[in-house]
Amino acid sequence: MNAADDKTIVREYFNSTGFDRWRRIYGDGEVNKVQLDIRNGHQQTVDTVIGWLKADKNLPELSICDAGCGVGSLSIPLAADGAKVYASDISEKMVSEGKDRALQTLGNAENPIFAVQDLESLSGSYHTVICLDVLIHYPQEKADEMISHLCSLAQSRIILSFAPKTCALSILKKIGSFFPGASKTTRAYLHREADVVKILESNGFAVQRQAFTKTRFYFSRLLEATRK
């Protein structure tokens, strides 16, 4: 199946059964043990990014593009800390949920600015471009294009997370344990860290910080790269 089909699958999934599942995971309500594990892993990744940005002590000065924002787990706290955030997602339902959560949390609908867009159609220029837990839905050749496009939008920095392709994780994925559960309807693609770094470097970026989040069912390599 080609990359265009992957994008259609992702859009339809997160506008239907996937939306209900991931809205619960990204919320604070009751979930099963696997979903709780994934929730905690994702939140660790989000917390790491927020920690990096806060450590630089210039958040109120930044314009940030949160590409693949989901329900706003990252966008909303960044806006609360003063950054100007543009949040986009391929799923209309995810964006609508993000707007509702922002209104409830921040009391306004002006920041973050939410929009329904896929990564390829994003435009503009931002100090920092962030894309968390999106690349897992796309094969390497499509990820190459996505990362390069996101780099073109970043004035200074890009932050990416992806499921790293290692022998251990490849085995887990092969036996169906990477994303368990009957509601799994999108494929999970693993990416070699060396390939991701090479794409960043070819677009004029150098890796500055990195982290790895590992829970029982959630695995994510996080890279921050700045323009050389």
Side-chain angles (χ1 to χ4, degrees), residues 160-190:
L160 302 171
S161 75
F162 56 94
K165 190 170 187 178
T166 65
C167 290
L169 295 187
S170 295
I171 292 171
L172 283 176
K173 178 177 179 289
K174 189 172 183 179
I175 65 176
S177 298
F178 191 77
F179 271 112
S183 58
K184 181 184 74 173
T185 60
T186 63
R187 285 161 292 181
Y189 292 99
L190 310 182

Side-chain angles (χ1 to χ4, degrees), residues 203-219:
N203 282 278
F205 287 80
V207 174
Q208 301 297 328
R209 289 185 281 207
Q210 55 186 297
F212 182 61
T213 301
K214 179 182 181 297
T215 65
R216 187 177 180 186
F217 299 111
Y218 177 95
F219 305 85

